């Protein structure tokens, strides 16, 4: 039985006008929806900071609350104790440090132009006195490019220091965000177990075990990394402050900015790779302003040495062996996070990327399997004991590996 032929579409002017009207209407509706989604996402991002920070603080403090609960203290009592200690510590530290930070940030914003101008003159004097370094001929002056760079550095320093001072002085918006953050932290601490249970209850029963394992892995990576990183950042900031105060015995002017640079160093240490270079640059500027070019170089040397001690000794012991991300993946996550969310993106991009990696390893277990040595040999590399790879240096494969290599060798 043959199917009836399709009814031809009328191409009368009336139908064409109707088709054009509905098409235009559909496009207009989609455009309005896209604008609404865009404005909604911007609004959510604008107000999300206190909620994200409050939730993160609650997750960090939740294990301590759970320990107190296991000792017979009620949930609300344990939350009151932990939150009260946190609030007391935060207020005490703020009361002791904020006035000094405001004063030092204001001084840096005021003195930045003179410091950068002195640096500009010192570089030009060095070029005048040293026309060559070995066979390399140096320019007699770099006024044009250095002037442009100096102007940008002055702007960055003044804006950064002025922004820090303005933030610490506390506008209405800043105070409101702090209050909302504390409220979110308290209520999340009280109800976090109930919310977690509700989430699992709403999942299909056959998915709860898998989701629970993934959530546990993500929680271990994320909260463990953040908790350890907060401790290390506080230690690094304190060590940098102590270093600058120690350097003030040689040139006392550097003590004017010791606490401010230490606080900035503690925050910047949370940003891999970029933080160390930024801290070294800021230290050079304040050390140069205090004692000249040679003192600035010593400042860079001491800062980088301190950073290496923390990277190789302190951080692995406190944070652990990292989050398992390849350095290239970490750099990509940092770049993408900074582009999308600014400072918060830089701070949270690495643990978020590590959490994504945890999910991928759960979904695709083969990703976590090491590459077999025969396959590596077939591709021209060999596995080392440290788990890294290197080019073959004339090593002969074993007799057992040769058939596998021939099978896996690319055609």
């Amino acid at each position: 039985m043959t199917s009836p032929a399709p009814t031809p579409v009328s191409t009368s002017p009336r139908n064409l006008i109707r088709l054009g009207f509905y098409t235009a209407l559909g496009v207009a509706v989609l455009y309005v929806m896209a604008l609404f989604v865009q404005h909604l996402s911007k609004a959510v991002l604008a107000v999300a900071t206190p909620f994200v920070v409050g939730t993160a603080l609650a997750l960090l403090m939740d294990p301590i609350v759970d320990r107190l609960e296991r000792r017979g203290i009620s949930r609300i009592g344990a939350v009151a104790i932990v939150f009260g200690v946190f609030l007391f510590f935060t207020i005490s530290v703020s009361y002791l440090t904020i006035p000094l930070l405001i004063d030092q940030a204001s001084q840096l914003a005021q003195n930045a132009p003179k410091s950068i101008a002195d640096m500009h003159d010192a570089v030009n004097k060095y070029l005048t006195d040293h026309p060559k370094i070995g066979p390399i001929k140096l320019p007699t002056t770099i006024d044009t490019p250095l002037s442009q760079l100096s102007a940008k550095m002055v702007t960055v320093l003044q804006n950064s220091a002025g922004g820090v001072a303005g933030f610490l002085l506390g506008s209405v918006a800043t105070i409101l965000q702090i209050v909302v953050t504390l409220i979110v932290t308290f209520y999340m601490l009280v109800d976090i177990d109930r919310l977690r249970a509700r989430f699992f209850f709403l999942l299909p029963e056959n998915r709860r075990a898998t989701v629970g394992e993934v959530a546990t892995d993500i929680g271990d990576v994320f909260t463990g990394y953040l908790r350890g990183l907060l401790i290390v950042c506080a230690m690094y900031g304190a060590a940098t402050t102590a270093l600058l105060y120690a350097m003030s015995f040689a040139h006392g002017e550097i003590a004017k900015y010791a606490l401010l640079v230490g606080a900035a160093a503690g925050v910047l240490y949370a940003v891999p790779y970029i933080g160390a270079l930024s801290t070294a640059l800021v230290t050079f500027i304040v050390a140069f302003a205090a004692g000249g070019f040679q003192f600035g170089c010593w400042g860079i040397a001491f800062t980088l040495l301190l950073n290496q001690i923390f990277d190789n000794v302190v951080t692995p012991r406190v944070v652990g062996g990292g989050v398992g991300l390849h350095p290239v993946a970490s750099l990509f996550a940092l770049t993408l996070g900074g582009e999308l969310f600014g400072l918060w993106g830089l701070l949270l991009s690495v643990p978020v990327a590590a959490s994504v990696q945890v999910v991928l390893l759960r979904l695709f277990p083969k990703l976590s399997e090491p590459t077999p040595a025969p396959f590596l040999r077939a591709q021209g590399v060999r596995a080392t004991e440290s788990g890294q790879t290197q080019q073959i240096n004339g090593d002969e494969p074993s007799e057992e590996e040769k058939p596998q290599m021939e099978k896996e060798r690319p055609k």
Side-chain angles (χ1 to χ4, degrees):
M1 182 176 179
T2 59
S3 59
T7 305
V9 179
S10 174
T11 57
S12 64
R14 182 177 180 180
N15 286 339
L16 291 176
I17 292 173
R18 183 182 299 171
L19 177 64
F21 172 76
Y22 284 117
T23 302
L25 181 63
V27 171
V29 170
L30 290 175
Y31 179 71
V32 171
M33 290 177 63
L35 285 179
F36 174 76
V37 171
Q38 181 184 11
H39 286 292
L40 180 63
S41 61
K42 286 183 178 179
V44 170
L45 290 175
V47 302
T49 299
F51 296 92
V52 173
V53 175
T55 303
L57 289 174
L59 289 172
L60 292 175
M61 290 187 279
D62 182 57
I64 305 174
V65 175
D66 290 340
R67 287 184 185 178
L68 293 178
E69 271 195 292
R70 288 194 291 269
R71 297 193 176 189
I73 302 176
S74 65
R75 179 75 186 183
I76 190 67
V79 169
I81 293 172
V82 174
F83 187 77
V85 171
F86 166 75
L87 202 58
F88 174 78
F89 177 78
T90 303
I91 293 174
S92 301
V93 172
S94 300
Y95 177 77
L96 293 173
T97 59
I98 284 180
L100 291 174
L101 288 173
I102 293 172
D103 181 61
Q104 294 186 9
S106 301
Q107 288 189 46
L108 181 61
Q110 182 179 356
N111 297 332
K114 182 179 182 303
S115 301
I116 300 298
D118 291 343
M119 191 185 306
H120 173 274
D121 295 339
V123 171
N124 276 338
K125 184 177 184 305
Y126 179 85
L127 291 175
T128 302
D129 297 339
H130 302 82
K132 283 186 175 183
I133 297 181
I136 302 174
K137 186 177 180 180
L138 298 177
T140 56
T141 180
I142 51 173
D143 279 339
T144 302
L146 191 59
S147 296
Q148 295 174 353
L149 179 62
S150 299
K152 290 182 180 179
M153 291 175 66
V154 168
T155 303
V156 170
L157 282 174
Q158 287 183 324
N159 290 342
S160 301
V164 169
F167 175 80
L168 294 175
L169 284 171
S171 63
V172 174
T174 301
I175 295 173
L176 182 61
Q177 282 200 340
I178 293 173
V179 171
V180 172
T181 300
L182 294 175
I183 293 173
V184 171
T185 303
F186 179 81
Y187 281 106
M188 285 297 297
L189 270 176
V190 171
D191 291 330
I192 193 167
D193 290 341
R194 191 182 300 274
L195 292 173
R196 187 186 296 118
R198 182 65 179 173
F199 171 74
F200 282 109
F201 172 75
L202 295 175
L203 290 174
E205 190 171 351
N206 59 343
R207 297 290 184 186
R208 290 174 187 169
T210 303
V211 174
E213 292 174 356
V214 173
T216 300
D217 289 343
I218 292 176
D220 291 343
V221 169
F222 201 87
T223 58
Y225 179 82
L226 285 183
R227 188 181 297 112
L229 190 62
L230 284 175
I231 295 172
V232 170
C233 286
M235 294 172 63
Y236 185 77
T240 303
T241 303
L243 172 64
L244 265 63
Y245 274 121
M247 293 175 65
S248 68
F249 287 105
H251 294 279
E253 289 292 315
I254 199 172
K256 288 182 178 180
Y257 312 111
L259 185 61
L260 179 65
V261 175
V267 174
L268 290 171
Y269 188 78
V271 184
Y273 313 112
I274 301 172
L277 296 177
S278 301
T279 301
L281 177 61
V282 174
T283 304
F284 172 78
I285 292 173
V286 297
F288 177 87
F293 181 79
Q294 186 176 2
F295 192 58
C297 292
W298 279 111
I300 288 182
F302 288 142
T303 302
L304 294 178
L305 176 62
L306 182 65
N307 187 268
Q308 289 299 309
I309 293 173
F310 268 77
D311 282 350
N312 296 291
V313 179
V314 179
T315 302
R317 293 177 181 274
V318 178
V319 180
V323 292
L325 281 179
H326 191 277
V328 176
S330 297
L331 284 173
F332 177 78
L334 283 169
T335 306
L336 183 61
E339 179 67 24
L340 292 176
F341 305 110
L343 176 62
W344 287 112
L346 290 173
L347 295 177
L348 299 177
S349 57
V350 172
V352 168
S355 301
V356 172
Q357 179 176 268
V358 166
V359 175
L360 291 176
L361 293 178
R362 281 285 182 182
L363 295 177
F364 307 100
K366 190 174 182 180
L367 293 175
S368 60
E369 297 178 2
T371 307
F375 189 85
L376 288 174
R377 289 181 178 274
Q379 305 301 317
V381 295
R382 66 183 177 87
T384 63
E385 293 181 359
S386 62
Q388 299 173 339
T389 59
Q390 62 183 37
Q391 291 298 120
I392 296 178
N393 295 320
D395 292 353
E396 291 295 329
S398 64
E399 292 298 326
E400 293 80 5
E401 292 176 342
K402 286 182 179 179
Q404 184 71 12
M405 288 178 60
E406 292 299 326
K407 180 180 177 181
E408 295 174 342
R409 191 182 303 277
K411 304 296 181 184

